[in-house]
Amino acid sequence: GVDAVDVLDKLPARVLRLGEKAGELTSGAAQALGLRAGIAVGQGGIDAYTGMVGLDVVGPGKLALVMGSSTCQLVLADGATFVPGLWGPFPEAVTPGLSAIEGGQASTGSVVRWLVENFGQGEAKRAAEAGEGLYAWLDARAGEVPPGAEGLVVLDYWQGNRTPIRDPLARGVISGLTLKHGFAHLLRAVYEGTAFGNRHILATLREHGVGVARVYACGGGARSKLWLQIHADVAQTPIYLTGVTDAVALGTAICAAVAVGAYPSLAEASRSMVHVATEIAPDPARRDVYDFFYANYLRTYRQLREVMHEVARGV
């Protein structure tokens, strides 16, 4: 077994807040980096949490939507708030007096990539012939498909469900296929299925008293305006993009600015250094159709859960 004392010895003796000064750059490190010794070294954080800072999600009512191969949903709430099915609360992980609550989808951008790499060869050829970038071409084609993808329902559980179902044996599903469906239908349905997963997390937060009035998005997935619009329409919640698209890098810079004393607090630094560039407003005309398909997204999992588990255990 592992000696508990050895494990404890590996833990840091000091736990610092984001943006707190950890020390100063040593002469050896400064020489290796080509910098000046004595520069303040600030405490940063893990990627998604630093992204919260870079999106100015350092107070309640806002949610950071970090869209990559997977997606993280992060929000701050009263320290006593517990939301079943989500992670946390993590006291003062970002802001003093508030706790972080985290949701996550294990497979989002990775499902889009899986679809394109395995079944998108024809579309890639057509995009090249048209002289367009592949993903811009694909989004244009998927944008021509009506909401609901003409009857397709996708469960985005290619690697299980991280939250709020927390089911590692859940599996991806494409339901409703007919011969009329093509690649563009499948891509739109994947965009919509991942957006339904995000709505499920937002609904779970709201059901337990955690308000989410504004969503701030970043990450590779946020480069798709269609995918963002679908997220806004499905959740009927506005989504905001900030001027610096790499929110994690900006959040790290904000931590450094606080550490050197340029700002008195993380909240003030974020408010000064983060600027909203774009608002993606939800289309109220799409509320009813997405309410219908979201309800069937939830129902499809409930109907297939036992079959999924049996097959997953049998493989």
Side-chain angles (χ1 to χ4, degrees), residues 60-64 75 201-202 205-206 209-215 237-238:
K62 301 178 178 180
L63 180 137
V75 65
I201 290 168
L202 297 185
L205 286 165
R206 289 166 174 156
V210 179
V212 177
R214 297 163 71 97
V215 173
T237 302

Side-chain angles (χ1 to χ4, degrees), residues 272-291:
S272 177
M273 295 175 68
V274 179
H275 306 284
V276 171
T278 306
E279 176 185 355
I280 299 170
D283 184 348
R286 293 178 174 172
R287 178 192 297 270
D288 289 346
V289 65
Y290 279 137
D291 282 352

Side-chain angles (χ1 to χ4, degrees), residues 5-167:
V5 175
D6 291 342
V7 172
L8 292 175
D9 287 344
K10 296 178 185 296
L11 297 177
R14 298 168 59 210
V15 177
L16 305 179
R17 298 187 187 279
L18 273 69
E20 190 171 346
K21 184 177 178 179
E24 296 181 349
L25 199 64
T26 65
S27 57
Q31 184 176 4
L33 294 170
L35 298 173
R36 177 175 54 80
I39 294 174
V41 176
Q43 176 64 46
I46 61 173
D47 51 2
Y49 282 73
T50 312
M52 294 175 74
V53 177
L55 292 170
D56 191 25
V57 179
V58 294
K62 301 178 178 180
L63 180 137
L65 184 68
V66 185
M67 303 170 66
S69 296
S70 59
T71 293
C72 290
Q73 291 87 354
L74 301 123
V75 65
L76 298 178
D78 178 76
T81 303
F82 172 73
V83 180
L86 302 188
W87 298 337
F90 303 121
E92 303 192 344
V94 177
T95 302
L98 297 174
S99 289
I101 301 171
E102 182 175 352
Q105 296 166 264
S107 307
T108 52
S110 56
V111 181
V112 175
R113 185 172 62 247
W114 170 86
L115 181 68
V116 172
E117 289 180 352
N118 285 285
F119 306 105
Q121 294 88 346
E123 293 296 335
K125 181 180 178 182
R126 283 185 278 275
E129 290 171 348
E132 294 191 27
L134 176 57
Y135 280 92
W137 169 270
L138 292 176
D139 274 14
R141 304 290 76 74
E144 296 166 356
V145 176
E150 295 193 284
L152 295 185
V153 175
V154 166
L155 302 189
D156 52 314
Y157 307 153
W158 264 245
Q159 298 179 97
N161 177 276
R162 186 182 294 173
T163 64
I165 299 170
R166 302 180 86 166
D167 182 355

Side-chain angles (χ1 to χ4, degrees), residues 230-288:
I230 289 172
H231 270 75
D233 293 343
V234 165
Q236 284 295 300
T237 302
I239 294 177
Y240 298 90
L241 297 175
T242 55
V244 177
T245 55
D246 191 339
V248 174
L250 177 59
T252 303
I254 290 170
C255 289
V258 175
V260 300
Y263 296 93
S265 70
L266 210 62
E268 292 185 57
S270 295
R271 187 163 54 248
S272 177
M273 295 175 68
V274 179
H275 306 284
V276 171
T278 306
E279 176 185 355
I280 299 170
D283 184 348
R286 293 178 174 172
R287 178 192 297 270
D288 289 346

